[in-house]
Amino acid sequence: MLFHTYEIAFSGFSGTGKTTLAAAVVKHLSERFAVGCYKHGCHRFDLDREGKDSFIFRDAGAETVMISDPVKKAVISGSAWDEISESRIFRSCDLLIVEGLKELPLPKLLMVDRERKILDLLETGGISGVVALVETGDEPKELEKRFDLPVFQRDDVATITAFIESRFGAEVAATPLSGLILAGGRSARMGTDKALLCYHDENQLMHTATLLRRRCKEVFISCRPDQESRYADLGLPVITDRYLETGPLGGLLSAQRLYPERAWLIAACDMPFIDTGLLDTLVDNRMPLRFATAFRHAETLRYEPLLACYEPKSRQELLARHAEGNDSLNSFLAGSRTGDIMLPDINSLRNINDPAAAGEARNACRISTKEPT
């Protein structure tokens, strides 16, 4: 990954139709995804032409200039940007299409020129990361055998698009989904540890773990360092907070720090009304190319951040928000590209925070699980 978690390049010599094909693929993909494009050229270009305001500011000595109108923005900078800085530009996109950069180790579709000179570079190792060839000739079988790569005709946009989607789909499928039970709160209003209260056959922490195990590779407990011994005998791995006094964000960031390539299904330890149906709805409708997937209250339109799936790419954005003093997961979901699942009944996501509410919840859980006579 150079610029985006899900990226692929169209590379080759000038005149092979890279831009035309890439634009056609983007048109198909953009019907369902937010697509970013990175165009790299060998020739210099100018956005800030002489006489324009941006040119005046740059000519006056400004290092970076941003110009904007109600629907778009552009940044003109003369300073060197590293790959991390460039990747921030595309963070909100679901996937990235790159045009050019054949010399970089990006996964790429290599455009074969009519003279097939690009194939000499491929054979000698001058180009890496090639996942398929695109040509205009009529001998795909010969190229497939020669390079052991899929070969597509340049005009077959639908098949090329399907190949790209399939490749990204395989990468998504290879991303483990782990469960994280947030138990790091101080339970001040409850007066006792909320995670160890019983509304079902098991305490709430183990009940939640049982639910998450159905859909997650592993399930972890998230807690403060001083709580670790309290949960040591429950048989679940514990991740202690490295970001103290930051609320649920600290638990998520601590888990992402240890396992940055995993997606995380987080669940608060004080939600006794979540069930298998609710979790199945969340996981089955997960949108892994976005930052996260979360339930959204149909009336208030507020996201529920404490039963949600957070994707690996959310970590950079969460860290940036934390550095700016914003530790609200709700704010993150509302301000990011989030997959939402409308939920008419918010009672199933209710947090139980005090003894009176706990008593009512116990009665409700007993009634809901009581077999009919």
Side-chain angles (χ1 to χ4, degrees), residues 40 58 72 84 90 97 104 128 155 161 165 168 179 204 225 253 269 276 305 339 345:
H40 180 266
R58 290 272 291 148
K72 59 186 178 296
I84 294 177
F90 301 107
I97 300 297
L104 293 186
S128 64
D155 295 333
T161 303
E165 286 192 63
F168 288 148
Q204 184 56 25
L253 284 178
C269 69
T276 57
D345 180 15

Side-chain angles (χ1 to χ4, degrees), residues 203-215:
N203 65 49
Q204 184 56 25
L205 199 155
M206 294 307 299
H207 176 75
T208 306
T210 299
L211 293 174
L212 294 184
R213 279 195 184 107
R214 294 179 59 256
R215 304 304 302 262

Side-chain angles (χ1 to χ4, degrees), residues 114-233:
R114 293 190 180 278
E115 294 77 20
R116 297 193 167 186
K117 293 181 180 179
I118 197 77
L119 298 179
D120 296 333
L121 282 175
L122 180 59
E123 284 188 314
T124 58
I127 298 178
S128 64
V130 177
V131 298
L133 300 174
V134 180
E135 64 143 10
T136 56
D138 55 4
E139 298 179 359
K141 296 295 184 183
E142 181 266 328
L143 287 182
E144 287 178 0
K145 184 177 179 180
R146 180 178 169 189
F147 293 100
D148 192 26
L149 288 169
V151 179
F152 302 111
Q153 292 292 326
R154 190 175 65 187
D155 295 333
D156 193 358
V157 177
T159 301
I160 293 171
T161 303
F163 171 78
I164 292 172
E165 286 192 63
S166 175
R167 180 178 173 83
F168 288 148
E171 292 178 21
V172 166
T175 302
L177 177 63
S178 294
L180 187 69
I181 305 171
L182 301 175
R186 298 189 180 277
S187 302
R189 282 181 285 171
M190 187 66 72
T192 188
D193 191 340
K194 293 188 291 185
L196 300 181
L197 294 177
C198 288
Y199 303 95
H200 307 277
D201 292 337
E202 302 174 289
N203 65 49
Q204 184 56 25
L205 199 155
M206 294 307 299
H207 176 75
T208 306
T210 299
L211 293 174
L212 294 184
R213 279 195 184 107
R214 294 179 59 256
R215 304 304 302 262
C216 297
K217 179 182 176 66
E218 286 185 276
V219 177
F220 297 80
I221 300 172
S222 168
C223 65
R224 304 188 311 275
D226 60 285
Q227 294 174 295
E228 186 173 8
S229 60
R230 185 185 307 173
Y231 303 134
D233 296 331

Side-chain angles (χ1 to χ4, degrees), residues 3-4 9 13-14 37 48 77 80 92 98 129 145-146 168 198 216 281 307 313 324 334 344 350:
F3 308 108
H4 195 278
F13 292 144
S14 179
C37 292
D48 49 341
S77 178
S92 62
V98 177
K145 184 177 179 180
R146 180 178 169 189
F168 288 148
C198 288
C216 297
T281 298
L307 185 69
K313 77 170 188 174
E324 293 169 356
R350 195 159 26 117

Side-chain angles (χ1 to χ4, degrees), residues 290-308:
R290 301 193 181 187
F291 286 104
T293 305
F295 290 109
R296 201 171 191 184
H297 301 169
E299 291 185 4
T300 66
L301 298 182
R302 284 177 59 85
Y303 286 101
E304 174 47 67
L306 301 185
L307 185 69

